Structure formats: C-alpha cells, structure tokens
Amino acid sequence: MARAPGAAARVGGLIGLVAALFTGACGLYVSDNARLEEPGAPPAPYDPGQVAVFLALSGGGTRAAALSYGAMTALEAIAVPGEDGQASTLLREVDYISAVSGGSFTAAFYAHLAGEPSRRRFDEIVDRVLHRNLELEIAVRLFANPLNWFRLPFTAYDRTQVAAGLYGATIFDGARLGDLPLRPRLILNASDLGTGLRFEFSPAAFRCLGSDHARYPLGHAVAASSAFPGAFTSITLTNHGGDARACLAERDRRALTPATREVNPLRTARAERRLQYLDRGEARYVHLADGGITDNLGLDAVLDLLSADGELGRRINQRRLKAVAVISVNATPAAPMEIGRARGGPGVLAVVLRAFDLFLWDAGAETVNDLSRTLEEKADFARVTGRDLRLFFIEVKFDDIADPARRVALASIGTRLGLPAAQVDALMAAGRELVASGRNGRNRAELDGLVEVFGSLRR
C-alpha cells in the first residue's frame, strides 16, 4: 500500500528534524572556545595600587559559596579610606578574587556586578544561588525536556553542559568573561586533566591556546571550576595554537635551565608539562575539571603573583607596594567522620568521598604553609632592603569556631549544590564571625593593621 504524500512528508520532515538536532547540538552544546582572530598586544599588567588585597575562596559546593558570602559581607562592613580618596570598604578595595569550585559561584557573582552596581545587589546571590537546589534543577533540565532524550546518547550534550547553561542563564545573565570589570580581577581556577596543572581563566591562558578570552561564557568557566569528579564530566577547550610567550612565564623559562633542574626538579617538571600546550598534536584539546584537584584553596594564584617575576613580586622589588593582604576563606571539611565508632566499614562511595576530603585537607595545609613561608620571606626581604612593606594574612576556617558542637556540625556539611536553608544561613553567619574572630583573634589584629595602612596612604 502506497504511503500518502502527506505522511511521507511528515516522516521525512521528522527525520530531517532529528538529524538537524543531532548535528546541530554537537556544535551548539560542546563547550568550545572561539579562536582569537586578532591577537593584538598582550594586556597591560594589572595595577592593584599601593595596597594589594587578595581574596581566595575555596571549593566545597554550596558550603563554600555560603561561607564565602558571609565572609565577604563582613569585609563590606569594614570601612576604609579608598585608594581613590573616597570612602570605601575593605571588600570594595579587594584587587584579586581567586576562587575554586563552590567559591567560584560567589566570586563570579560579585565580580559580575562589581563593574555595574546598579545591575543588582550582592545579596541577591542568596536567592539566585545559595537557597537554590542546583542539583535538582540540573536533573530536571536534563531529563524533563524530551529533546534531551535524543541529545544525550548522540551528542556532546551532558550534565555538565546543562549545568553550564543553567548557571549562565539564571545566575550570570548570559555574561561572558569580557563583560567583567578590570577590578577586582577575577581568577577562576580549574584543573587541566592532561597536564595536571592549575588552569586559570585568564587572558594569558587563552592566548596560550590562541583563543578569545572575552567571548567565553562566564557560566561555562564556573561550571569547569566546579566540575566535581564523578558528578560532572569535564569542560573541553580547543587548543587553536597560540602565543608561546603567553604559555611560558619567565619563571617557567628559568625552570627549564640545567641549574634549576638540578635544585628544583619539581619546578622543572611543571614547566615541561606547560610546554605541552605548544604541541597541538599532543594537546589539541584541554579537558578541565574541578579546580580543587590542583588547588582547593585558590591560593596558588597569589603564590605565582608573589614570585620574583610575578605581578606583585615585581611591584615589591620596585617599591610600589606598601602592603599585601591575603584573605583566605577555607571551607574544606576538617571534622573527622565517625568511622571509628562503627563496627562495619564505610561503603565504597563514603570511602571515595572521605579519601578526597583527606587529600584536599592535606594539600590545603601544605599550600597554607607555602604561603606562610613566602610571606615571611617577603617580610625578611623588606626588612633587609629597607622597604616600607607590610604583609597581612587573614584566614576563615571551621577549625576556629569555638563551640565544638557547632564546629563539627558546620564542617560536616556535605559538598553539595543544594543545602537546607538553615544550613546555608548558619554557614553565612559563621563566615561573618570568623573574619574577625579567626586564628584565635589574630584576624582582628591583622584587620586593624590593614585599616591603618589604608588610612596612612599619601594620595
């Protein structure tokens, strides 16, 4: 029996629609990055002024995002004379915000509105991020739309792509990295699964890949930074072949010399891995996952900046800085799981999550030690050379909560993208308190000294 022409047309149209869906979705939903068509001159070095304030926000899902928001509201409540001579706050004087995973939501939201305060208020993050169940929303978006039943098995569309689209549309208003203000300088960190290195969503890193940093969606950068292994797949960038000068900093070039190889083989190994970006045959694609794999505190960026040829290290040598302040908000869970009280061993998932927590805790402690040594070295250098330089370190972490029950309760909150409102509110309150009370009160002394420096600036 011959098929009716209308039916044939409808079937053909359906086949064409499905084919278009499959082929179109591949290009539409792969988180690819545009080629940099006109490279131009590299961006000028960032100028933080006389006082460089660096804020680092750790990973930890909504737990970290809420603790970070609480700490940032406390910084907003501390009045200081701004470097421009106008009344300001310590939060508004932050020059760099480096963030990882959960902390990236808070950092990116603040940076997104900092250049245009009339766009919205910072406290809107509570409803837009902190009190939302992003996990549930991602699942609903993924499976409730029948079109996704075709996309999932046949295209690159997956849970990470859903998350990136959700973040971009409902949190960041479709903003791209080029829409962000110059100050504060936002440093979003992910982990390159190929090289094992920290990947920074910066103009230099994108120039290294021959890619246009300004056109990259902010929601995708946050999705890469928070792509927790096992829960999300990686975000992929294409290496278009870029500028070797952007791939290797001066310290990398020195690390490749025989002298450095002899005394610091780890530094040399990292520089050699960075060289992979110059070989498009071996590194045609860059696969990015959660930034916590390589640096869960967001502090490696300031260590790079403070190095001898780093942005801040050079300014110290040139006597252009009066102070450097590092504020670390660390939401890494430190409370021990009550494994020893149970006769039966933990399940497979509990073992994996506990192992990851222990790894993050140990790696974070080592990073803080590295930062402490670096600050001590800079202080010694300032004393020996007669430089007028003051250094401050302020740390927010669960260990400094005085009440043991409260400390354990907050530090035991899981790494999720959806928490009960009561837990979110408790985390925000802890962040506000710990800015001043942390480190057995030493934070208060550091804050007082920093405010004093701002008041002493010659304008």
Side-chain angles (χ1 to χ4, degrees):
M1 181 176 178
R3 187 181 300 273
R10 287 194 296 271
V11 171
L14 177 61
I15 294 174
L17 175 62
V18 172
L21 173 65
F22 290 166
T23 57
C26 288
L28 180 61
Y29 293 109
V30 171
S31 177
D32 205 359
N33 46 307
R35 182 187 298 275
L36 183 62
E37 300 298 341
E38 298 180 7
Y46 179 72
D47 183 359
Q50 299 179 70
V51 181
V53 181
F54 186 98
L55 176 61
L57 308 180
S58 82
T62 301
R63 183 185 69 245
L67 188 72
S68 296
Y69 174 70
M72 292 172 75
T73 58
L75 297 176
E76 177 65 12
I78 299 174
V80 297
E83 290 208 50
D84 60 1
Q86 303 298 314
S88 186
T89 69
L90 193 48
L91 180 61
R92 292 178 218 166
E93 294 304 308
V94 167
D95 300 289
Y96 305 87
I97 304 182
S98 174
V100 182
S101 197
S104 293
F105 288 92
T106 312
F109 191 85
Y110 178 76
H112 172 46
L113 63 85
E116 189 180 335
S118 61
R119 181 182 290 127
R120 71 165 58 95
R121 298 182 327 193
F122 188 30
D123 60 8
E124 290 185 33
I125 192 176
V126 176
D127 292 328
R128 282 190 172 240
V129 178
L130 304 180
H131 280 172
R132 286 173 66 182
N133 189 334
L134 291 173
E135 290 181 8
L136 178 61
E137 291 186 40
I138 291 168
V140 169
R141 278 203 171 201
L142 187 61
F143 297 110
N145 185 350
L147 292 179
N148 292 341
W149 304 344
F150 296 98
R151 291 176 179 144
L152 288 170
F154 296 102
T155 76
Y157 192 76
D158 60 15
R159 191 167 187 260
T160 305
Q161 297 299 323
V162 171
L166 178 69
Y167 304 160
T170 67
I171 300 175
F172 304 115
D173 306 312
R176 299 179 181 272
L177 296 180
D179 297 327
L180 298 176
L182 295 178
R183 183 174 182 275
R185 177 178 157 195
L186 178 64
I187 304 172
L188 294 177
N189 301 283
S191 300
D192 180 352
L193 298 176
T195 63
L197 298 172
R198 177 178 69 90
F199 183 92
E200 186 176 295
F201 282 85
S202 65
F206 271 64
R207 286 177 70 91
C208 175
L209 303 179
S211 183
D212 191 339
H213 170 267
R215 292 169 59 188
Y216 196 74
L218 179 58
H220 283 69
V222 172
S225 179
S226 58
F228 189 83
F232 294 96
T233 57
S234 61
I235 287 278
T236 300
L237 303 181
T238 298
N239 185 352
H240 296 288
D243 186 347
R245 294 170 297 178
C247 294
L248 295 178
E250 182 59 34
R251 62 183 174 279
D252 295 319
R253 292 184 173 85
R254 287 202 301 269
L256 295 170
T257 63
T260 303
R261 187 184 300 273
E262 183 70 24
V263 299
N264 195 340
L266 178 59
R267 172 69 73 180
T268 300
R270 288 177 177 171
E272 288 175 339
R273 279 184 280 166
R274 201 172 297 280
L275 279 173
Q276 293 180 32
Y277 293 126
L278 301 179
D279 185 349
R280 291 192 65 224
E282 294 296 323
R284 185 167 184 176
Y285 299 99
V286 177
H287 302 285
L288 303 175
D290 195 294
I293 298 171
T294 47
D295 170 29
N296 194 51
L297 298 186
L299 288 173
D300 276 355
V302 75
L303 289 172
D304 285 346
L305 291 169
L306 286 170
S307 64
D309 65 330
E311 205 164 79
L312 297 181
R314 289 195 301 268
R315 294 182 70 84
I316 290 173
N317 293 337
Q318 297 164 359
R319 301 177 184 265
R320 298 173 64 190
L321 280 177
K322 291 183 68 69
V324 175
V326 180
I327 304 169
S328 171
V329 182
N330 179 2
T332 303
M337 290 179 65
E338 297 178 353
I339 293 176
R341 297 184 183 181
R343 183 174 183 179
V348 174
L349 180 59
V351 169
V352 171
L353 293 176
R354 183 57 176 159
F356 196 61
D357 283 346
L358 291 172
F359 162 75
L360 296 180
W361 192 90
D362 288 341
E366 184 177 347
T367 301
V368 171
N369 287 337
D370 288 345
L371 177 62
S372 297
R373 285 194 297 269
T374 298
L375 293 177
E376 289 172 4
E377 290 170 1
K378 296 299 179 184
D380 291 342
F381 174 75
R383 282 193 293 270
V384 170
T385 59
R387 282 165 167 76
D388 179 20
L389 176 69
R390 298 183 65 180
L391 299 160
F392 302 95
F393 180 58
I394 297 154
E395 187 175 28
V396 172
K397 60 179 180 177
F398 295 123
D399 288 350
D400 292 330
I401 296 175
D403 178 12
R406 184 184 180 209
R407 179 173 64 246
V408 171
L410 292 179
S412 299
I413 293 173
T415 302
R416 307 292 300 272
L417 288 178
L419 295 175
Q423 289 186 343
V424 170
D425 295 343
L427 288 161
M428 292 190 293
R432 285 191 292 269
E433 296 168 16
L434 288 168
V435 165
S437 66
R439 302 175 75 221
N440 295 319
R442 283 182 290 171
N443 278 3
R444 168 51 65 190
E446 295 286 272
L447 287 169
D448 290 344
L450 183 55
V451 171
E452 178 186 314
V453 169
F454 274 104
S456 69
L457 295 179
R458 293 189 297 271
R459 311 188 196 283

